[in-house]
mmCIF file with all atom_site columns, all heavy atoms in Angstrom:
data_model
loop_
_atom_site.group_PDB
_atom_site.id
_atom_site.type_symbol
_atom_site.label_atom_id
_atom_site.label_alt_id
_atom_site.label_comp_id
_atom_site.label_asym_id
_atom_site.label_entity_id
_atom_site.label_seq_id
_atom_site.pdbx_PDB_ins_code
_atom_site.Cartn_x
_atom_site.Cartn_y
_atom_site.Cartn_z
_atom_site.occupancy
_atom_site.B_iso_or_equiv
_atom_site.pdbx_formal_charge
_atom_site.auth_seq_id
_atom_site.auth_comp_id
_atom_site.auth_asym_id
_atom_site.auth_atom_id
_atom_site.pdbx_PDB_model_num
ATOM 1   N N   . ASP A 1 91  ? 24.546 -7.404  47.192 1.00 0.00 ? 166 ASP A N   1
ATOM 2   C CA  . ASP A 1 91  ? 23.536 -8.460  47.333 1.00 0.00 ? 166 ASP A CA  1
ATOM 3   C C   . ASP A 1 91  ? 22.159 -7.834  47.300 1.00 0.00 ? 166 ASP A C   1
ATOM 4   O O   . ASP A 1 91  ? 21.978 -6.733  47.833 1.00 0.00 ? 166 ASP A O   1
ATOM 5   C CB  . ASP A 1 91  ? 23.632 -9.086  48.738 1.00 0.00 ? 166 ASP A CB  1
ATOM 6   C CG  . ASP A 1 91  ? 24.535 -10.274 48.743 1.00 0.00 ? 166 ASP A CG  1
ATOM 7   O OD1 . ASP A 1 91  ? 24.667 -10.909 47.694 1.00 0.00 ? 166 ASP A OD1 1
ATOM 8   O OD2 . ASP A 1 91  ? 25.108 -10.535 49.818 1.00 0.00 ? 166 ASP A OD2 1
ATOM 9   N N   . LEU A 1 92  ? 21.192 -8.545  46.745 1.00 0.00 ? 167 LEU A N   1
ATOM 10  C CA  . LEU A 1 92  ? 19.813 -8.034  46.728 1.00 0.00 ? 167 LEU A CA  1
ATOM 11  C C   . LEU A 1 92  ? 18.897 -9.033  47.418 1.00 0.00 ? 167 LEU A C   1
ATOM 12  O O   . LEU A 1 92  ? 19.005 -10.237 47.171 1.00 0.00 ? 167 LEU A O   1
ATOM 13  C CB  . LEU A 1 92  ? 19.371 -7.817  45.283 1.00 0.00 ? 167 LEU A CB  1
ATOM 14  C CG  . LEU A 1 92  ? 20.072 -6.645  44.589 1.00 0.00 ? 167 LEU A CG  1
ATOM 15  C CD1 . LEU A 1 92  ? 19.869 -6.704  43.087 1.00 0.00 ? 167 LEU A CD1 1
ATOM 16  C CD2 . LEU A 1 92  ? 19.558 -5.318  45.128 1.00 0.00 ? 167 LEU A CD2 1
ATOM 17  N N   . LEU A 1 93  ? 18.018 -8.532  48.271 1.00 0.00 ? 168 LEU A N   1
ATOM 18  C CA  . LEU A 1 93  ? 17.120 -9.411  49.019 1.00 0.00 ? 168 LEU A CA  1
ATOM 19  C C   . LEU A 1 93  ? 15.687 -8.911  48.911 1.00 0.00 ? 168 LEU A C   1
ATOM 20  O O   . LEU A 1 93  ? 15.445 -7.699  48.987 1.00 0.00 ? 168 LEU A O   1
ATOM 21  C CB  . LEU A 1 93  ? 17.490 -9.426  50.509 1.00 0.00 ? 168 LEU A CB  1
ATOM 22  C CG  . LEU A 1 93  ? 18.892 -9.898  50.881 1.00 0.00 ? 168 LEU A CG  1
ATOM 23  C CD1 . LEU A 1 93  ? 19.121 -9.707  52.375 1.00 0.00 ? 168 LEU A CD1 1
ATOM 24  C CD2 . LEU A 1 93  ? 19.072 -11.353 50.483 1.00 0.00 ? 168 LEU A CD2 1
ATOM 25  N N   . LYS A 1 94  ? 14.755 -9.859  48.747 1.00 0.00 ? 169 LYS A N   1
ATOM 26  C CA  . LYS A 1 94  ? 13.333 -9.493  48.724 1.00 0.00 ? 169 LYS A CA  1
ATOM 27  C C   . LYS A 1 94  ? 12.758 -9.715  50.119 1.00 0.00 ? 169 LYS A C   1
ATOM 28  O O   . LYS A 1 94  ? 12.527 -10.852 50.539 1.00 0.00 ? 169 LYS A O   1
ATOM 29  C CB  . LYS A 1 94  ? 12.603 -10.344 47.679 1.00 0.00 ? 169 LYS A CB  1
ATOM 30  C CG  . LYS A 1 94  ? 11.152 -9.979  47.512 1.00 0.00 ? 169 LYS A CG  1
ATOM 31  C CD  . LYS A 1 94  ? 10.588 -10.629 46.262 1.00 0.00 ? 169 LYS A CD  1
ATOM 32  C CE  . LYS A 1 94  ? 9.089  -10.480 46.198 1.00 0.00 ? 169 LYS A CE  1
ATOM 33  N NZ  . LYS A 1 94  ? 8.380  -11.362 47.116 1.00 0.00 ? 169 LYS A NZ  1
ATOM 34  N N   . LEU A 1 95  ? 12.585 -8.635  50.836 1.00 0.00 ? 170 LEU A N   1
ATOM 35  C CA  . LEU A 1 95  ? 12.078 -8.680  52.216 1.00 0.00 ? 170 LEU A CA  1
ATOM 36  C C   . LEU A 1 95  ? 11.223 -7.458  52.479 1.00 0.00 ? 170 LEU A C   1
ATOM 37  O O   . LEU A 1 95  ? 11.407 -6.421  51.829 1.00 0.00 ? 170 LEU A O   1
ATOM 38  C CB  . LEU A 1 95  ? 13.242 -8.603  53.215 1.00 0.00 ? 170 LEU A CB  1
ATOM 39  C CG  . LEU A 1 95  ? 14.225 -9.760  53.345 1.00 0.00 ? 170 LEU A CG  1
ATOM 40  C CD1 . LEU A 1 95  ? 15.315 -9.378  54.342 1.00 0.00 ? 170 LEU A CD1 1
ATOM 41  C CD2 . LEU A 1 95  ? 13.489 -10.995 53.824 1.00 0.00 ? 170 LEU A CD2 1
ATOM 42  N N   . ASP A 1 96  ? 10.341 -7.565  53.482 1.00 0.00 ? 171 ASP A N   1
ATOM 43  C CA  . ASP A 1 96  ? 9.677  -6.382  54.013 1.00 0.00 ? 171 ASP A CA  1
ATOM 44  C C   . ASP A 1 96  ? 10.533 -5.897  55.178 1.00 0.00 ? 171 ASP A C   1
ATOM 45  O O   . ASP A 1 96  ? 10.603 -6.562  56.216 1.00 0.00 ? 171 ASP A O   1
ATOM 46  C CB  . ASP A 1 96  ? 8.266  -6.740  54.500 1.00 0.00 ? 171 ASP A CB  1
ATOM 47  C CG  . ASP A 1 96  ? 7.495  -5.499  54.951 1.00 0.00 ? 171 ASP A CG  1
ATOM 48  O OD1 . ASP A 1 96  ? 8.128  -4.557  55.486 1.00 0.00 ? 171 ASP A OD1 1
ATOM 49  O OD2 . ASP A 1 96  ? 6.261  -5.471  54.770 1.00 0.00 ? 171 ASP A OD2 1
ATOM 50  N N   . PHE A 1 97  ? 11.205 -4.760  54.995 1.00 0.00 ? 172 PHE A N   1
ATOM 51  C CA  . PHE A 1 97  ? 12.178 -4.356  56.018 1.00 0.00 ? 172 PHE A CA  1
ATOM 52  C C   . PHE A 1 97  ? 11.511 -3.864  57.309 1.00 0.00 ? 172 PHE A C   1
ATOM 53  O O   . PHE A 1 97  ? 12.194 -3.683  58.313 1.00 0.00 ? 172 PHE A O   1
ATOM 54  C CB  . PHE A 1 97  ? 13.182 -3.332  55.476 1.00 0.00 ? 172 PHE A CB  1
ATOM 55  C CG  . PHE A 1 97  ? 12.601 -2.002  55.058 1.00 0.00 ? 172 PHE A CG  1
ATOM 56  C CD1 . PHE A 1 97  ? 12.213 -1.067  55.989 1.00 0.00 ? 172 PHE A CD1 1
ATOM 57  C CD2 . PHE A 1 97  ? 12.466 -1.688  53.711 1.00 0.00 ? 172 PHE A CD2 1
ATOM 58  C CE1 . PHE A 1 97  ? 11.684 0.153   55.602 1.00 0.00 ? 172 PHE A CE1 1
ATOM 59  C CE2 . PHE A 1 97  ? 11.941 -0.473  53.307 1.00 0.00 ? 172 PHE A CE2 1
ATOM 60  C CZ  . PHE A 1 97  ? 11.540 0.455   54.266 1.00 0.00 ? 172 PHE A CZ  1
ATOM 61  N N   . GLU A 1 98  ? 10.183 -3.683  57.298 1.00 0.00 ? 173 GLU A N   1
ATOM 62  C CA  . GLU A 1 98  ? 9.506  -3.319  58.554 1.00 0.00 ? 173 GLU A CA  1
ATOM 63  C C   . GLU A 1 98  ? 8.939  -4.554  59.269 1.00 0.00 ? 173 GLU A C   1
ATOM 64  O O   . GLU A 1 98  ? 8.477  -4.431  60.402 1.00 0.00 ? 173 GLU A O   1
ATOM 65  C CB  . GLU A 1 98  ? 8.367  -2.316  58.298 1.00 0.00 ? 173 GLU A CB  1
ATOM 66  C CG  . GLU A 1 98  ? 8.855  -0.965  57.840 1.00 0.00 ? 173 GLU A CG  1
ATOM 67  C CD  . GLU A 1 98  ? 7.788  0.108   58.043 1.00 0.00 ? 173 GLU A CD  1
ATOM 68  O OE1 . GLU A 1 98  ? 6.936  0.255   57.139 1.00 0.00 ? 173 GLU A OE1 1
ATOM 69  O OE2 . GLU A 1 98  ? 7.799  0.771   59.104 1.00 0.00 ? 173 GLU A OE2 1
ATOM 70  N N   . GLN A 1 99  ? 8.948  -5.697  58.588 1.00 0.00 ? 174 GLN A N   1
ATOM 71  C CA  . GLN A 1 99  ? 8.296  -6.890  59.165 1.00 0.00 ? 174 GLN A CA  1
ATOM 72  C C   . GLN A 1 99  ? 9.257  -8.061  59.346 1.00 0.00 ? 174 GLN A C   1
ATOM 73  O O   . GLN A 1 99  ? 9.110  -8.845  60.274 1.00 0.00 ? 174 GLN A O   1
ATOM 74  C CB  . GLN A 1 99  ? 7.168  -7.376  58.222 1.00 0.00 ? 174 GLN A CB  1
ATOM 75  C CG  . GLN A 1 99  ? 6.042  -6.404  58.020 1.00 0.00 ? 174 GLN A CG  1
ATOM 76  C CD  . GLN A 1 99  ? 5.131  -6.329  59.224 1.00 0.00 ? 174 GLN A CD  1
ATOM 77  O OE1 . GLN A 1 99  ? 5.027  -7.284  59.985 1.00 0.00 ? 174 GLN A OE1 1
ATOM 78  N NE2 . GLN A 1 99  ? 4.494  -5.190  59.430 1.00 0.00 ? 174 GLN A NE2 1
ATOM 79  N N   . ASP A 1 100 ? 10.202 -8.195  58.409 1.00 0.00 ? 175 ASP A N   1
ATOM 80  C CA  . ASP A 1 100 ? 11.042 -9.397  58.365 1.00 0.00 ? 175 ASP A CA  1
ATOM 81  C C   . ASP A 1 100 ? 12.385 -9.156  59.050 1.00 0.00 ? 175 ASP A C   1
ATOM 82  O O   . ASP A 1 100 ? 12.830 -8.007  59.154 1.00 0.00 ? 175 ASP A O   1
ATOM 83  C CB  . ASP A 1 100 ? 11.296 -9.796  56.890 1.00 0.00 ? 175 ASP A CB  1
ATOM 84  C CG  . ASP A 1 100 ? 9.998  -10.089 56.155 1.00 0.00 ? 175 ASP A CG  1
ATOM 85  O OD1 . ASP A 1 100 ? 9.065  -10.605 56.796 1.00 0.00 ? 175 ASP A OD1 1
ATOM 86  O OD2 . ASP A 1 100 ? 9.912  -9.785  54.952 1.00 0.00 ? 175 ASP A OD2 1
ATOM 87  N N   . MET A 1 101 ? 13.023 -10.228 59.464 1.00 0.00 ? 176 MET A N   1
ATOM 88  C CA  . MET A 1 101 ? 14.384 -10.137 60.017 1.00 0.00 ? 176 MET A CA  1
ATOM 89  C C   . MET A 1 101 ? 15.343 -9.830  58.868 1.00 0.00 ? 176 MET A C   1
ATOM 90  O O   . MET A 1 101 ? 15.334 -10.511 57.847 1.00 0.00 ? 176 MET A O   1
ATOM 91  C CB  . MET A 1 101 ? 14.799 -11.486 60.620 1.00 0.00 ? 176 MET A CB  1
ATOM 92  C CG  . MET A 1 101 ? 14.103 -11.824 61.914 1.00 0.00 ? 176 MET A CG  1
ATOM 93  S SD  . MET A 1 101 ? 14.522 -10.674 63.236 1.00 0.00 ? 176 MET A SD  1
ATOM 94  C CE  . MET A 1 101 ? 16.225 -11.080 63.496 1.00 0.00 ? 176 MET A CE  1
ATOM 95  N N   . ILE A 1 102 ? 16.154 -8.817  59.060 1.00 0.00 ? 177 ILE A N   1
ATOM 96  C CA  . ILE A 1 102 ? 17.143 -8.467  58.024 1.00 0.00 ? 177 ILE A CA  1
ATOM 97  C C   . ILE A 1 102 ? 18.482 -9.073  58.455 1.00 0.00 ? 177 ILE A C   1
ATOM 98  O O   . ILE A 1 102 ? 18.941 -8.812  59.569 1.00 0.00 ? 177 ILE A O   1
ATOM 99  C CB  . ILE A 1 102 ? 17.284 -6.934  57.899 1.00 0.00 ? 177 ILE A CB  1
ATOM 100 C CG1 . ILE A 1 102 ? 15.934 -6.313  57.533 1.00 0.00 ? 177 ILE A CG1 1
ATOM 101 C CG2 . ILE A 1 102 ? 18.361 -6.574  56.889 1.00 0.00 ? 177 ILE A CG2 1
ATOM 102 C CD1 . ILE A 1 102 ? 15.928 -4.786  57.576 1.00 0.00 ? 177 ILE A CD1 1
ATOM 103 N N   . PRO A 1 103 ? 19.099 -9.889  57.586 1.00 0.00 ? 178 PRO A N   1
ATOM 104 C CA  . PRO A 1 103 ? 20.378 -10.463 57.984 1.00 0.00 ? 178 PRO A CA  1
ATOM 105 C C   . PRO A 1 103 ? 21.481 -9.406  57.987 1.00 0.00 ? 178 PRO A C   1
ATOM 106 O O   . PRO A 1 103 ? 21.471 -8.488  57.166 1.00 0.00 ? 178 PRO A O   1
ATOM 107 C CB  . PRO A 1 103 ? 20.650 -11.526 56.908 1.00 0.00 ? 178 PRO A CB  1
ATOM 108 C CG  . PRO A 1 103 ? 19.815 -11.142 55.737 1.00 0.00 ? 178 PRO A CG  1
ATOM 109 C CD  . PRO A 1 103 ? 18.657 -10.325 56.245 1.00 0.00 ? 178 PRO A CD  1
ATOM 110 N N   . GLY A 1 104 ? 22.419 -9.529  58.914 1.00 0.00 ? 179 GLY A N   1
ATOM 111 C CA  . GLY A 1 104 ? 23.626 -8.690  58.876 1.00 0.00 ? 179 GLY A CA  1
ATOM 112 C C   . GLY A 1 104 ? 23.559 -7.478  59.773 1.00 0.00 ? 179 GLY A C   1
ATOM 113 O O   . GLY A 1 104 ? 22.505 -7.075  60.260 1.00 0.00 ? 179 GLY A O   1
ATOM 114 N N   . ILE A 1 105 ? 24.747 -6.898  59.959 1.00 0.00 ? 180 ILE A N   1
ATOM 115 C CA  . ILE A 1 105 ? 24.888 -5.701  60.786 1.00 0.00 ? 180 ILE A CA  1
ATOM 116 C C   . ILE A 1 105 ? 25.745 -4.715  59.993 1.00 0.00 ? 180 ILE A C   1
ATOM 117 O O   . ILE A 1 105 ? 26.729 -5.113  59.371 1.00 0.00 ? 180 ILE A O   1
ATOM 118 C CB  . ILE A 1 105 ? 25.435 -6.080  62.185 1.00 0.00 ? 180 ILE A CB  1
ATOM 119 C CG1 . ILE A 1 105 ? 25.671 -4.865  63.038 1.00 0.00 ? 180 ILE A CG1 1
ATOM 120 C CG2 . ILE A 1 105 ? 26.637 -6.947  62.170 1.00 0.00 ? 180 ILE A CG2 1
ATOM 121 C CD1 . ILE A 1 105 ? 25.471 -5.169  64.511 1.00 0.00 ? 180 ILE A CD1 1
#
Side-chain angles (χ1 to χ4, degrees):
D166 268 333
L167 290 165
L168 300 174
K169 184 167 170 285
L170 291 177
D171 185 327
F172 64 75
E173 292 199 274
Q174 297 285 334
D175 300 326
M176 288 296 292
I177 301 172
I180 177 149

